[in-house]
Amino acid sequence: MQNSTKKSNNRLSDKTELLLKFNYTSSFLSIVFGALCIYLLQVKHIIPHAFFTYAILNLLNIAAFKRHSSLLIMAVATSLLSLLSTIIIVLYSGGINSPFLFVLALIVLAGYVVTRLFGKIYLYTILSIVCMIYIVGTLNISFLSNEVPETSRAHFSLLCALFSIYLLCVIFGKNLLKTHHRLYKSKTEIEAQILEKETLLKEIHHRVKNNLQTVSSLLSMQGRSTTNEQIKKIIKSSQNRVISMAIIHEMLYTNDNLSKIDFKPYVKELTAFLIKSVAGSGNNINVNIDIPDIQLGIDTAIPLGLLINETITNSLKYGFEDKNEGLIEIGLKEEGNGDNNYLLTISDNGIGFSDESNSKTTKSLGLKLIHNLARQLQGSVVKDESRGGTAYNIKFKDSPQTLSPVA
C-alpha cells in the first residue's frame, strides 16, 4: 500500500515538473518570438501582442499554482491560454497555411501529460478547430489578413519550426526518454525480483521434497523395526502417501512453472511407483492412462495425487487376487465450458469389493480419504456399479492459484 502511494506521488510530481517546465519555457520563447516579430520580421500588430499576452498570463498562472497547488487547474489554464493564443496567431499568419499551426499538436501532448482523458478531449477539440480554421480560410474574411510581410514569411516559418521543435524535443522528448529509462529500470528490477523469488520457490520445493523423502525413510525404518504385519501395512500406506506428495514437489522444482504441474507425466510416475511398491517388481499389471496434456495447480494436484494413490493402492491390494496380472485405467476429461471442472475416472478389472463406498459408514481409511479429498477439491466421488471390477467417477474443480504480489 505504501509503495503504491509512493509511486502515485512520484508520477504526480513528474507531471507537475513537466508542466511547469513547459510553462516557463513556452512563456520565455513567446517573449523572444514576440520581440523578433516586432524588430526582425516587421510584424507589429496582433501576432506579437498574442505572444506577449500568453507569456504574461501564463506566468500569472504559474504564480497562482504556487498558491492553490492544483495541477488540474494549472493544466486547464495552460491549455486554454495556449489554445486561444495559437488560434489567434494562426488566423493572422496564413490560416490553414500558417506554419504556426503545428503548435496545436503540442497542446494535445500537454493534455496527455495530465491524464489520458484530457489528451483525448484536446485531440478531438483541436482536430475540430483545424477544420474550422480551414473553413474560415475559404470565406475570405477581410479582417483576417496575413500580418506577416511577404519578405519575412520564410523567416517566420523558420522561427515557428524552431519554436515547435524545441518544445517538442527539449520538453516532451527528454521527458519521454526519462520515463522510458525509468520503465526500463523498473522492468529490470522487477525481473530480478521475480527471478530471485522463483529461485527461492524452487529451493523451497526442493527442500520440501527432501524433507518428505526423509519422512518416508523414517517410516521405512519404523516399519522394519516391527514384526506386526498390520502395522507394517499401515506404515507402508503412509509412506506411499508421502511419496505421492514428494513427486509433485520434485516436478515443481525441475519445471519452469512453479504453480502448476503437467498432470499426465505425474500420474505416469506415481502409478509406476505404486505398482512397484505394492505389487512388487515381478508383476504383470498394466496401466492405461488417457489424460490430455493439461496443467493443474499445486493446490489441486496434491489432493488429487493422494486420491489416485488411495484408489490404485486399493486396486493393487484387494482388486487382484494374485497381484501379478490386471489392468488399471485412468482417464481425465474437462467438463463444462472451460470453467476448470473435470471428470476423473479410475477403474480396474479386478474382483471388486462389497464394502459400501460411503465415507460415513465405511471402515476403510482409504475410502474415507477418497471422499474427504474429493470434497477438498470441491467435487464428489461416485462408485460406478455398471462396470466390472472397481470403478470411480470423480468430479473436481481446479481452483485458480492465489499468488502473492512481488514486494
Side-chain angles (χ1 to χ4, degrees), residues 31-115:
I31 294 173
V32 174
F33 208 144
L36 291 173
C37 284
I38 294 174
Y39 298 107
L40 178 64
L41 306 178
Q42 303 303 312
V43 181
K44 299 182 179 180
H45 297 290
I46 295 175
I47 292 177
H49 289 90
F51 278 117
F52 293 141
T53 302
Y54 167 80
I56 294 170
L57 292 178
N58 206 26
L59 291 173
L60 291 175
N61 178 35
I62 295 172
F65 172 74
K66 302 295 184 181
R67 296 177 63 87
H68 58 67
S69 300
S70 174
L71 177 63
L72 180 61
I73 294 175
M74 180 177 68
V76 171
T78 299
S79 299
L80 290 176
L81 289 172
S82 302
L83 184 60
L84 290 174
S85 59
T86 303
I87 291 173
I88 292 171
I89 295 169
V90 167
L91 288 174
Y92 285 93
S93 61
I96 197 67
N97 297 315
S98 172
F100 203 74
L101 185 69
F102 296 99
V103 176
L104 291 172
L106 299 178
I107 300 173
V108 177
L109 291 176
Y112 275 110
V113 167
V114 183
T115 62

Coordinates of all heavy atoms in Angstrom, one line a residue, residues 31-115:
I31 N 8.0 35.4 -25.4 CA 8.5 36.8 -25.3 C 9.6 37.0 -26.4 O 9.6 38.0 -27.1 CB 9.1 37.0 -23.9 CG1 7.9 36.9 -22.9 CG2 9.8 38.3 -23.8 CD1 8.4 37.0 -21.4
V32 N 10.5 36.0 -26.5 CA 11.5 36.1 -27.6 C 10.9 36.2 -28.9 O 11.3 37.0 -29.8 CB 12.5 35.0 -27.4 CG1 13.5 35.0 -28.6 CG2 13.3 35.0 -26.1
F33 N 9.9 35.3 -29.2 CA 9.3 35.3 -30.5 C 8.6 36.6 -30.8 O 8.6 37.1 -31.9 CB 8.3 34.1 -30.6 CG 8.1 33.6 -31.9 CD1 7.9 32.2 -32.1 CD2 8.0 34.4 -33.1 CE1 7.6 31.7 -33.4 CE2 7.8 33.9 -34.3 CZ 7.6 32.5 -34.5
G34 N 7.9 37.1 -29.8 CA 7.1 38.4 -30.0 C 8.1 39.5 -30.3 O 7.8 40.4 -31.2
A35 N 9.3 39.6 -29.6 CA 10.2 40.6 -29.8 C 10.8 40.5 -31.2 O 11.0 41.5 -31.9 CB 11.3 40.5 -28.8
L36 N 11.1 39.3 -31.7 CA 11.6 39.1 -33.0 C 10.6 39.4 -34.1 O 11.0 40.0 -35.2 CB 12.1 37.6 -33.2 CG 13.3 37.1 -32.4 CD1 13.5 35.6 -32.5 CD2 14.5 37.9 -32.9
C37 N 9.4 39.2 -33.8 CA 8.3 39.6 -34.8 C 8.3 41.1 -35.0 O 8.2 41.6 -36.1 CB 6.9 39.2 -34.3 SG 6.6 37.4 -34.5
I38 N 8.5 41.9 -33.9 CA 8.5 43.3 -34.0 C 9.7 43.9 -34.6 O 9.7 44.7 -35.5 CB 8.2 43.9 -32.6 CG1 6.8 43.5 -32.1 CG2 8.4 45.5 -32.6 CD1 6.6 44.0 -30.6
Y39 N 10.9 43.4 -34.1 CA 12.1 44.1 -34.5 C 12.8 43.4 -35.7 O 13.7 44.1 -36.3 CB 13.1 44.1 -33.3 CG 12.5 44.9 -32.2 CD1 12.1 44.3 -31.0 CD2 12.5 46.3 -32.2 CE1 11.6 45.0 -29.9 CE2 11.9 47.0 -31.2 CZ 11.5 46.4 -30.0 OH 11.0 47.1 -29.0
L40 N 12.5 42.2 -36.0 CA 13.2 41.5 -37.1 C 12.2 41.2 -38.3 O 12.6 41.5 -39.4 CB 13.8 40.2 -36.6 CG 14.5 39.3 -37.7 CD1 15.7 40.0 -38.2 CD2 14.9 37.9 -37.1
L41 N 11.0 40.8 -38.0 CA 10.1 40.4 -39.1 C 9.2 41.5 -39.5 O 8.3 41.3 -40.4 CB 9.3 39.2 -38.6 CG 10.2 38.0 -38.2 CD1 9.3 36.8 -37.8 CD2 11.1 37.5 -39.3
Q42 N 9.2 42.6 -38.7 CA 8.3 43.8 -39.0 C 6.8 43.4 -38.9 O 5.9 43.8 -39.6 CB 8.5 44.3 -40.4 CG 10.0 44.8 -40.7 CD 10.4 45.8 -39.7 OE1 9.7 46.8 -39.4 NE2 11.6 45.7 -39.1
V43 N 6.5 42.5 -37.9 CA 5.1 42.1 -37.6 C 4.8 42.9 -36.3 O 5.3 42.5 -35.3 CB 5.0 40.6 -37.4 CG1 3.5 40.2 -37.1 CG2 5.5 39.9 -38.6
K44 N 3.9 43.9 -36.4 CA 3.7 44.8 -35.3 C 2.3 44.9 -34.8 O 1.9 45.9 -34.1 CB 4.2 46.2 -35.7 CG 5.7 46.2 -36.0 CD 6.2 47.6 -36.3 CE 7.7 47.6 -36.7 NZ 8.2 48.9 -37.0
H45 N 1.4 44.0 -35.1 CA 0.0 44.2 -34.7 C -0.4 43.0 -33.8 O 0.1 42.9 -32.7 CB -0.9 44.2 -36.0 CG -0.5 45.4 -36.8 ND1 -0.8 46.7 -36.5 CD2 0.1 45.5 -38.1 CE1 -0.4 47.5 -37.4 NE2 0.1 46.8 -38.4
I46 N -1.3 42.2 -34.2 CA -1.9 41.3 -33.3 C -1.0 40.1 -32.9 O -1.0 39.7 -31.7 CB -3.2 40.7 -34.0 CG1 -4.2 41.8 -34.1 CG2 -3.8 39.6 -33.1 CD1 -5.5 41.4 -34.9
I47 N -0.2 39.6 -33.8 CA 0.6 38.4 -33.5 C 1.6 38.6 -32.4 O 1.6 37.8 -31.4 CB 1.4 38.0 -34.8 CG1 0.4 37.4 -35.8 CG2 2.4 36.9 -34.5 CD1 1.0 37.0 -37.1
P48 N 2.4 39.7 -32.4 CA 3.3 39.9 -31.2 C 2.6 40.1 -29.9 O 3.0 39.6 -28.8 CB 4.2 41.1 -31.6 CG 3.4 41.8 -32.7 CD 2.7 40.7 -33.4
H49 N 1.4 40.8 -30.0 CA 0.6 41.0 -28.8 C 0.1 39.7 -28.2 O 0.0 39.5 -27.0 CB -0.5 42.0 -29.0 CG 0.0 43.4 -29.2 ND1 0.3 43.9 -30.5 CD2 0.2 44.4 -28.4 CE1 0.7 45.2 -30.4 NE2 0.6 45.5 -29.1
A50 N -0.2 38.8 -29.1 CA -0.7 37.5 -28.7 C 0.4 36.7 -28.0 O 0.2 36.1 -26.9 CB -1.2 36.7 -29.9
F51 N 1.6 36.8 -28.5 CA 2.8 36.2 -27.8 C 3.0 36.8 -26.4 O 3.1 36.0 -25.4 CB 4.0 36.3 -28.6 CG 4.1 35.3 -29.8 CD1 4.2 35.7 -31.1 CD2 4.3 34.0 -29.5 CE1 4.3 34.8 -32.1 CE2 4.4 33.0 -30.5 CZ 4.4 33.4 -31.8
F52 N 3.0 38.1 -26.3 CA 3.3 38.7 -25.0 C 2.1 38.5 -24.0 O 2.4 38.2 -22.9 CB 3.4 40.2 -25.2 CG 4.6 40.6 -26.0 CD1 4.6 41.7 -27.0 CD2 5.8 40.0 -25.8 CE1 5.7 42.0 -27.7 CE2 7.0 40.3 -26.6 CZ 6.9 41.3 -27.5
T53 N 0.9 38.5 -24.5 CA -0.2 38.3 -23.6 C -0.2 36.8 -23.1 O -0.4 36.6 -21.9 CB -1.6 38.5 -24.4 OG1 -1.6 39.8 -24.9 CG2 -2.8 38.3 -23.4
Y54 N 0.1 35.9 -24.0 CA 0.2 34.5 -23.5 C 1.3 34.3 -22.4 O 1.1 33.7 -21.4 CB 0.6 33.6 -24.7 CG 1.0 32.2 -24.2 CD1 0.1 31.2 -23.9 CD2 2.3 31.8 -24.2 CE1 0.5 30.0 -23.4 CE2 2.8 30.6 -23.7 CZ 1.8 29.7 -23.4 OH 2.2 28.4 -22.9
A55 N 2.5 35.0 -22.7 CA 3.6 34.8 -21.7 C 3.2 35.4 -20.4 O 3.5 34.8 -19.3 CB 4.8 35.5 -22.3
I56 N 2.6 36.6 -20.4 CA 2.2 37.3 -19.1 C 1.2 36.4 -18.3 O 1.3 36.2 -17.1 CB 1.7 38.7 -19.4 CG1 2.8 39.6 -19.9 CG2 1.1 39.3 -18.1 CD1 2.4 40.9 -20.4
L57 N 0.1 36.0 -19.1 CA -1.0 35.3 -18.4 C -0.5 33.9 -17.9 O -0.9 33.4 -16.9 CB -2.2 35.1 -19.3 CG -2.9 36.4 -19.7 CD1 -4.1 36.1 -20.7 CD2 -3.5 37.1 -18.4
N58 N 0.4 33.3 -18.7 CA 0.9 32.0 -18.2 C 1.8 32.1 -17.0 O 1.8 31.2 -16.2 CB 1.7 31.3 -19.4 CG 1.7 29.8 -19.3 OD1 0.8 29.2 -18.7 ND2 2.7 29.2 -19.9
L59 N 2.6 33.2 -16.9 CA 3.4 33.4 -15.7 C 2.5 33.6 -14.5 O 2.8 33.2 -13.4 CB 4.4 34.6 -16.0 CG 5.5 34.3 -17.0 CD1 6.3 35.6 -17.2 CD2 6.5 33.2 -16.4
L60 N 1.4 34.4 -14.7 CA 0.4 34.6 -13.6 C -0.2 33.2 -13.3 O -0.5 33.0 -12.1 CB -0.7 35.5 -14.1 CG -0.2 37.0 -14.3 CD1 -1.4 37.8 -14.8 CD2 0.3 37.6 -12.9
N61 N -0.4 32.4 -14.3 CA -0.9 31.0 -14.0 C 0.0 30.2 -13.1 O -0.4 29.5 -12.2 CB -1.2 30.3 -15.3 CG -1.7 28.9 -15.2 OD1 -2.5 28.6 -14.2 ND2 -1.3 28.0 -16.1
I62 N 1.3 30.3 -13.4 CA 2.3 29.6 -12.6 C 2.3 30.2 -11.1 O 2.4 29.4 -10.2 CB 3.7 29.8 -13.2 CG1 3.8 29.1 -14.6 CG2 4.8 29.2 -12.3 CD1 5.0 29.4 -15.3
A63 N 2.2 31.5 -11.0 CA 2.1 32.2 -9.7 C 0.9 31.7 -8.9 O 1.0 31.4 -7.7 CB 2.2 33.7 -9.8
A64 N -0.2 31.6 -9.6 CA -1.4 31.1 -9.0 C -1.3 29.7 -8.5 O -1.8 29.3 -7.4 CB -2.6 31.2 -9.9
F65 N -0.6 28.9 -9.3 CA -0.4 27.5 -8.9 C 0.4 27.4 -7.6 O 0.2 26.4 -6.8 CB 0.4 26.7 -10.0 CG 0.8 25.3 -9.7 CD1 -0.1 24.3 -9.6 CD2 2.2 25.1 -9.4 CE1 0.3 23.0 -9.2 CE2 2.6 23.8 -9.0 CZ 1.6 22.8 -8.9
K66 N 1.3 28.3 -7.4 CA 2.1 28.3 -6.1 C 1.2 28.4 -4.9 O 1.5 28.0 -3.8 CB 3.1 29.4 -6.1 CG 4.1 29.4 -7.3 CD 5.0 28.2 -7.3 CE 6.0 28.2 -8.4 NZ 6.9 27.0 -8.4
R67 N 0.0 29.0 -5.2 CA -0.9 29.3 -4.0 C -1.9 28.1 -3.9 O -2.1 27.6 -2.8 CB -1.7 30.6 -4.2 CG -0.7 31.8 -4.2 CD -1.5 33.1 -4.4 NE -2.5 33.3 -3.4 CZ -2.2 34.0 -2.3 NH1 -1.0 34.4 -2.0 NH2 -3.2 34.1 -1.3
H68 N -2.5 27.7 -5.0 CA -3.6 26.7 -4.9 C -3.1 25.2 -5.0 O -3.7 24.3 -4.6 CB -4.7 26.9 -5.9 CG -4.3 26.9 -7.4 ND1 -3.8 25.8 -8.0 CD2 -4.3 27.9 -8.3 CE1 -3.5 26.1 -9.3 NE2 -3.8 27.4 -9.5
S69 N -1.9 25.1 -5.7 CA -1.2 23.7 -5.8 C -2.1 22.7 -6.5 O -1.9 21.5 -6.2 CB -0.8 23.2 -4.4 OG 0.1 24.1 -3.7
S70 N -2.9 23.1 -7.4 CA -3.8 22.2 -8.1 C -3.2 22.0 -9.5 O -3.3 22.9 -10.3 CB -5.2 22.7 -8.2 OG -6.0 21.8 -9.0
L71 N -2.7 20.8 -9.8 CA -2.2 20.5 -11.1 C -3.2 20.6 -12.2 O -3.0 21.1 -13.3 CB -1.5 19.1 -11.1 CG -1.0 18.6 -12.4 CD1 0.2 19.5 -12.9 CD2 -0.5 17.2 -12.3
L72 N -4.5 20.2 -11.8 CA -5.6 20.2 -12.8 C -5.9 21.6 -13.2 O -6.1 21.9 -14.4 CB -6.8 19.5 -12.2 CG -8.0 19.4 -13.1 CD1 -7.7 18.6 -14.3 CD2 -9.2 18.8 -12.3
I73 N -6.0 22.5 -12.3 CA -6.4 23.9 -12.6 C -5.3 24.5 -13.5 O -5.6 25.2 -14.5 CB -6.6 24.7 -11.3 CG1 -7.8 24.2 -10.6 CG2 -6.7 26.2 -11.6 CD1 -8.0 24.9 -9.2
M74 N -4.0 24.3 -13.1 CA -2.9 24.9 -13.9 C -2.9 24.3 -15.3 O -2.7 25.0 -16.3 CB -1.6 24.6 -13.2 CG -0.4 25.2 -14.0 SD 1.2 25.0 -13.2 CE 1.4 23.2 -13.3
A75 N -3.1 23.0 -15.4 CA -3.1 22.3 -16.7 C -4.2 22.9 -17.6 O -4.0 23.1 -18.8 CB -3.3 20.8 -16.6
V76 N -5.4 23.0 -17.1 CA -6.6 23.5 -17.9 C -6.3 25.0 -18.3 O -6.5 25.3 -19.5 CB -7.9 23.4 -17.1 CG1 -9.0 24.2 -17.8 CG2 -8.3 22.0 -16.8
A77 N -5.8 25.8 -17.4 CA -5.5 27.2 -17.7 C -4.4 27.3 -18.8 O -4.5 28.1 -19.7 CB -5.0 27.9 -16.4
T78 N -3.4 26.4 -18.6 CA -2.3 26.4 -19.6 C -2.8 26.0 -21.0 O -2.5 26.7 -22.0 CB -1.2 25.4 -19.2 OG1 -0.6 25.9 -18.0 CG2 -0.1 25.4 -20.2
S79 N -3.7 25.0 -21.0 CA -4.2 24.6 -22.3 C -5.1 25.6 -23.0 O -5.0 25.8 -24.2 CB -5.0 23.3 -22.1 OG -4.1 22.2 -21.6
L80 N -5.9 26.2 -22.2 CA -6.8 27.3 -22.7 C -6.0 28.5 -23.3 O -6.3 29.0 -24.4 CB -7.8 27.7 -21.7 CG -8.9 26.7 -21.3 CD1 -9.8 27.2 -20.2 CD2 -9.8 26.3 -22.5
L81 N -5.0 28.9 -22.5 CA -4.2 30.0 -22.9 C -3.4 29.7 -24.2 O -3.4 30.5 -25.1 CB -3.2 30.4 -21.8 CG -3.8 31.1 -20.6 CD1 -2.7 31.2 -19.5 CD2 -4.3 32.5 -20.9
S82 N -2.9 28.5 -24.2 CA -2.1 28.0 -25.4 C -3.0 27.9 -26.6 O -2.6 28.3 -27.7 CB -1.4 26.7 -25.1 OG -0.6 26.7 -24.0
L83 N -4.2 27.4 -26.4 CA -5.1 27.2 -27.5 C -5.6 28.5 -28.1 O -5.6 28.7 -29.3 CB -6.3 26.3 -27.0 CG -7.4 25.9 -28.1 CD1 -6.7 25.1 -29.1 CD2 -8.5 25.2 -27.4
L84 N -6.0 29.4 -27.2 CA -6.5 30.7 -27.7 C -5.4 31.5 -28.4 O -5.7 32.1 -29.5 CB -7.1 31.5 -26.5 CG -8.4 30.9 -25.9 CD1 -8.8 31.7 -24.7 CD2 -9.5 31.0 -26.9
S85 N -4.2 31.6 -27.8 CA -3.2 32.4 -28.4 C -2.7 31.7 -29.7 O -2.4 32.4 -30.7 CB -2.0 32.5 -27.5 OG -1.5 31.2 -27.1
T86 N -2.7 30.4 -29.8 CA -2.3 29.7 -31.0 C -3.3 30.0 -32.1 O -2.9 30.2 -33.3 CB -2.1 28.2 -30.8 OG1 -1.1 28.0 -29.7 CG2 -1.6 27.5 -32.0
I87 N -4.6 29.9 -31.8 CA -5.6 30.1 -32.8 C -5.5 31.5 -33.4 O -5.6 31.7 -34.6 CB -7.0 29.9 -32.2 CG1 -7.2 28.4 -31.9 CG2 -8.1 30.4 -33.1 CD1 -8.5 28.1 -31.1
I88 N -5.3 32.5 -32.5 CA -5.2 33.9 -33.0 C -4.0 34.1 -33.9 O -4.1 34.7 -35.0 CB -5.1 34.9 -31.7 CG1 -6.4 34.9 -31.0 CG2 -4.7 36.3 -32.2 CD1 -6.3 35.6 -29.6
I89 N -2.8 33.5 -33.5 CA -1.6 33.6 -34.3 C -1.8 32.9 -35.6 O -1.4 33.4 -36.7 CB -0.4 33.1 -33.5 CG1 -0.1 33.9 -32.3 CG2 0.9 33.0 -34.4 CD1 0.9 33.3 -31.3
V90 N -2.4 31.8 -35.6 CA -2.6 31.0 -36.9 C -3.5 31.8 -37.8 O -3.3 31.9 -39.0 CB -3.2 29.6 -36.5 CG1 -3.7 29.0 -37.8 CG2 -2.2 28.7 -35.9
L91 N -4.6 32.3 -37.3 CA -5.6 33.1 -38.1 C -4.9 34.3 -38.8 O -5.3 34.7 -39.9 CB -6.8 33.5 -37.3 CG -7.7 32.4 -36.9 CD1 -8.8 32.9 -35.9 CD2 -8.4 31.7 -38.1
Y92 N -4.0 34.9 -38.1 CA -3.4 36.2 -38.6 C -2.0 35.9 -39.2 O -1.3 36.9 -39.5 CB -3.3 37.2 -37.5 CG -4.6 37.8 -37.2 CD1 -5.4 37.3 -36.2 CD2 -5.1 38.9 -37.9 CE1 -6.6 37.9 -35.9 CE2 -6.3 39.5 -37.6 CZ -7.1 38.9 -36.6 OH -8.3 39.5 -36.3
S93 N -1.7 34.6 -39.5 CA -0.4 34.3 -40.1 C -0.6 33.3 -41.3 O 0.4 32.6 -41.6 CB 0.6 33.8 -39.1 OG 0.1 32.6 -38.5
G94 N -1.8 33.3 -41.9 CA -2.0 32.5 -43.0 C -3.0 31.5 -42.9 O -3.3 30.7 -43.8
G95 N -3.7 31.4 -41.7 CA -4.8 30.4 -41.5 C -4.3 29.0 -41.6 O -3.3 28.6 -41.0
I96 N -4.9 28.2 -42.5 CA -4.6 26.8 -42.6 C -3.2 26.6 -43.2 O -2.6 25.5 -43.0 CB -5.6 26.1 -43.5 CG1 -5.6 24.5 -43.3 CG2 -5.4 26.4 -45.0 CD1 -6.0 24.1 -42.0
N97 N -2.7 27.6 -43.8 CA -1.3 27.6 -44.4 C -0.2 28.1 -43.4 O 0.9 28.2 -43.8 CB -1.2 28.4 -45.7 CG -2.1 27.8 -46.8 OD1 -2.1 26.6 -47.0 ND2 -2.8 28.6 -47.5
S98 N -0.6 28.5 -42.2 CA 0.3 29.1 -41.3 C 1.2 28.0 -40.7 O 0.8 26.9 -40.3 CB -0.5 29.7 -40.1 OG 0.4 30.1 -39.1
P99 N 2.5 28.3 -40.7 CA 3.5 27.3 -40.1 C 3.3 27.1 -38.6 O 3.8 26.2 -38.0 CB 4.8 27.9 -40.5 CG 4.6 29.4 -40.6 CD 3.2 29.5 -41.2
F100 N 2.6 28.1 -38.0 CA 2.4 28.0 -36.5 C 1.3 27.0 -36.2 O 1.1 26.7 -35.0 CB 2.1 29.4 -36.0 CG 2.4 29.6 -34.5 CD1 3.7 29.7 -34.1 CD2 1.4 29.6 -33.5 CE1 4.0 29.8 -32.7 CE2 1.7 29.7 -32.2 CZ 3.0 29.8 -31.8
L101 N 0.6 26.5 -37.2 CA -0.5 25.6 -37.0 C -0.1 24.3 -36.2 O -0.8 23.8 -35.4 CB -1.1 25.2 -38.3 CG -2.4 24.3 -38.3 CD1 -3.6 25.2 -37.7 CD2 -2.7 23.8 -39.7
F102 N 1.2 23.9 -36.4 CA 1.6 22.6 -35.8 C 1.9 22.7 -34.3 O 2.1 21.7 -33.6 CB 2.9 22.1 -36.5 CG 2.6 21.8 -38.0 CD1 3.0 22.7 -39.0 CD2 2.1 20.6 -38.3 CE1 2.8 22.4 -40.3 CE2 1.8 20.3 -39.7 CZ 2.2 21.2 -40.7
V103 N 1.8 24.0 -33.8 CA 2.0 24.1 -32.4 C 0.8 23.5 -31.6 O 0.8 23.2 -30.5 CB 2.1 25.6 -32.0 CG1 2.2 25.9 -30.5 CG2 3.4 26.2 -32.6
L104 N -0.4 23.5 -32.4 CA -1.6 22.9 -31.8 C -1.3 21.4 -31.3 O -1.9 20.9 -30.4 CB -2.7 22.9 -32.8 CG -3.3 24.3 -33.1 CD1 -4.3 24.2 -34.2 CD2 -4.0 24.9 -31.8
A105 N -0.4 20.7 -32.0 CA -0.1 19.4 -31.6 C 0.5 19.3 -30.3 O 0.3 18.3 -29.5 CB 0.8 18.7 -32.7
L106 N 1.3 20.3 -29.9 CA 1.9 20.4 -28.6 C 0.9 20.5 -27.5 O 1.1 20.0 -26.4 CB 2.9 21.5 -28.5 CG 4.1 21.5 -29.5 CD1 4.9 22.8 -29.4 CD2 4.9 20.3 -29.4
I107 N -0.2 21.1 -27.8 CA -1.3 21.3 -26.8 C -1.9 19.9 -26.5 O -2.2 19.6 -25.3 CB -2.3 22.3 -27.3 CG1 -1.7 23.6 -27.5 CG2 -3.5 22.4 -26.2 CD1 -2.6 24.6 -28.2
V108 N -2.0 19.1 -27.5 CA -2.5 17.7 -27.3 C -1.6 17.0 -26.4 O -2.0 16.3 -25.5 CB -2.7 17.0 -28.6 CG1 -3.2 15.6 -28.4 CG2 -3.7 17.7 -29.5
L109 N -0.3 17.1 -26.6 CA 0.7 16.4 -25.8 C 0.6 16.9 -24.3 O 0.7 16.1 -23.4 CB 2.1 16.6 -26.3 CG 2.5 15.9 -27.6 CD1 3.9 16.3 -28.1 CD2 2.4 14.4 -27.5
A110 N 0.5 18.2 -24.2 CA 0.3 18.7 -22.8 C -0.9 18.2 -22.1 O -0.9 17.9 -20.9 CB 0.3 20.2 -22.9
G111 N -2.0 17.9 -22.9 CA -3.2 17.3 -22.3 C -2.9 15.9 -21.9 O -3.4 15.5 -20.8
Y112 N -2.2 15.1 -22.7 CA -1.9 13.8 -22.3 C -1.0 13.7 -21.1 O -1.0 12.7 -20.4 CB -1.3 13.0 -23.4 CG -2.3 12.4 -24.4 CD1 -2.5 13.0 -25.7 CD2 -3.1 11.4 -24.0 CE1 -3.4 12.4 -26.6 CE2 -4.0 10.8 -24.9 CZ -4.2 11.4 -26.2 OH -5.1 10.8 -27.0
V113 N -0.2 14.7 -20.8 CA 0.6 14.8 -19.6 C -0.2 14.7 -18.4 O 0.1 14.0 -17.4 CB 1.5 16.0 -19.6 CG1 2.1 16.2 -18.3 CG2 2.6 15.9 -20.7
V114 N -1.4 15.4 -18.4 CA -2.3 15.4 -17.2 C -3.0 14.1 -17.0 O -2.7 13.3 -16.1 CB -3.3 16.6 -17.3 CG1 -4.1 16.6 -16.1 CG2 -2.6 17.9 -17.6
T115 N -3.8 13.7 -18.0 CA -4.5 12.4 -18.0 C -4.8 12.0 -19.4 O -4.8 12.9 -20.3 CB -5.8 12.4 -17.2 OG1 -6.7 13.4 -17.8 CG2 -5.6 12.8 -15.8

